[in-house]
Amino acid sequence: MPGPTFDQLFGLLTAASLAAADVARLREWIARIAHPGACIALIEQAAAGRPCPHCGCPRKHRCGQASGLQRFRCLRCRRSHNALTGTPLARLRKKACWLSYLQCVLESRTVRDAARVVGVDRTTSFRWRHRFVPGAMRDRPRSLTAIVEADETYRLESQKGSRTLTRRPRKRGGVAARRGINQEHDCLLVARDRGGQTLDFHTGRGQVTAAQLDHCLRPVLPADVLLVSDGALAYRRFAARSGIAHEWVNVQAGERRRGAIHVQNVNGWHSRFKSWLVRFRGVASRYLINYSGWQRMLDARRLTTPRHLLQAAVQLS
Ligand SMILES: [Zn+2]
């Protein structure tokens, strides 16, 4: 007996009363069978006319195809490249699944969940996360403007996923051996202007220093900005050295704001980041900047579709 036709199945489906969970399953399934050529076309389009990623020469000729992508040979350095050479997505396989994976990135799905939805194994899902997220993170403001709030948030360093620990293991839900911020803490510096543009930096372990502020902030702060921070000495030193106008609120003494002088926007970002991060049940220090970049991308709401994320990832930095 022949199986039901598509029209018959579709008729049954439209007659059925679907629960929200059923609709979600259908959406996931349809996302997976998205046109396999769509991803390739988007990649080629985003990289069209790009010069050689090795030497910058615009002159090249076509030389066959590899992994579905056009291959080019540079007329100056003679090396070959394709649209993904020099991007975090170079040499990743299964392009037909990328757009549905990127949808999982937009939905902040866990590694396991994304693996199930996209139909790849968990190690692939993990590897992809740390390629696609850095790709999307390339969409970053070049500089901040007007009033810029800067503040750090600290997280206990984590060697999650490492084969060899460089210290004694902590108990689950670990706490630092000593009180206060010290070399056991990763410092995430966030600067945010009042237009909502945000930049994040993993400065390393321990309290942020004036030299680190100089390294991270000076290139992104034009001369006419007003920097606002808490009373930490490092900010005052950095501002004095660089000649940037600076105001600070004495948060430790309970001061919250003086008119427009406050760090509430950047602190709001920190708290959104921390609550968003809970779902991942601890992140390794070496990936901290990927997670903050991921949150920055979601929070900025500039890249809102898998297509946007793919286009950002294909850009050369
Ligand atoms: Zn070249």
Side-chain angles (χ1 to χ4, degrees), residues 52-57 74-79:
C52 168
H54 306 294
C55 75
C57 174
C74 170
L75 291 180
R76 183 158 78 194
C77 73
R78 309 300 301 165
R79 295 171 69 186

Side-chain angles (χ1 to χ4, degrees), residues 126-192:
F126 181 80
R127 186 169 353 106
W128 282 13
R129 168 183 286 177
H130 293 294
R131 298 284 201 95
F132 284 106
V133 169
M137 281 160 53
R138 293 167 160 222
D139 184 65
R140 215 175 141 81
R142 289 187 187 280
S143 64
L144 304 174
T145 56
I147 299 177
V148 176
E149 301 174 27
D151 200 6
E152 333 86 75
T153 182
Y154 294 90
R155 295 188 60 81
L156 203 54
E157 65 90 20
S158 162
Q159 301 182 21
K160 184 180 178 182
S162 296
R163 295 222 168 107
T164 48
L165 284 181
T166 58
R167 56 163 164 73
R168 290 226 319 258
R170 293 191 197 104
K171 296 208 175 95
R172 195 165 259 283
V175 288
R178 289 173 293 150
R179 286 168 65 93
I181 302 301
N182 54 52
Q183 292 302 314
E184 286 182 84
H185 293 87
D186 286 301
C187 172
L188 185 72
L189 169 67
V190 178
R192 182 171 170 91

Side-chain angles (χ1 to χ4, degrees), residues 255-300:
E255 184 182 30
R256 294 173 68 85
R257 61 187 300 159
R258 281 193 318 283
I261 307 304
H262 62 81
V263 286
Q264 289 168 358
N265 292 308
V266 74
N267 288 340
W269 194 97
H270 286 160
S271 64
R272 288 196 296 285
F273 177 53
K274 284 180 202 164
S275 48
W276 173 82
L277 213 49
V278 169
R279 75 195 67 201
F280 300 114
R281 296 164 191 265
V283 305
S285 293
R286 65 194 165 121
Y287 293 127
L288 181 61
I289 197 66
N290 286 6
Y291 288 91
S292 77
W294 188 353
Q295 160 69 10
R296 180 169 51 71
M297 184 269 291
L298 295 174
D299 202 65

Side-chain angles (χ1 to χ4, degrees), residues 82-94:
N82 65 26
L84 295 177
T85 305
T87 77
L89 308 188
R91 289 189 289 278
L92 289 189
R93 293 161 188 274
K94 297 189 182 170

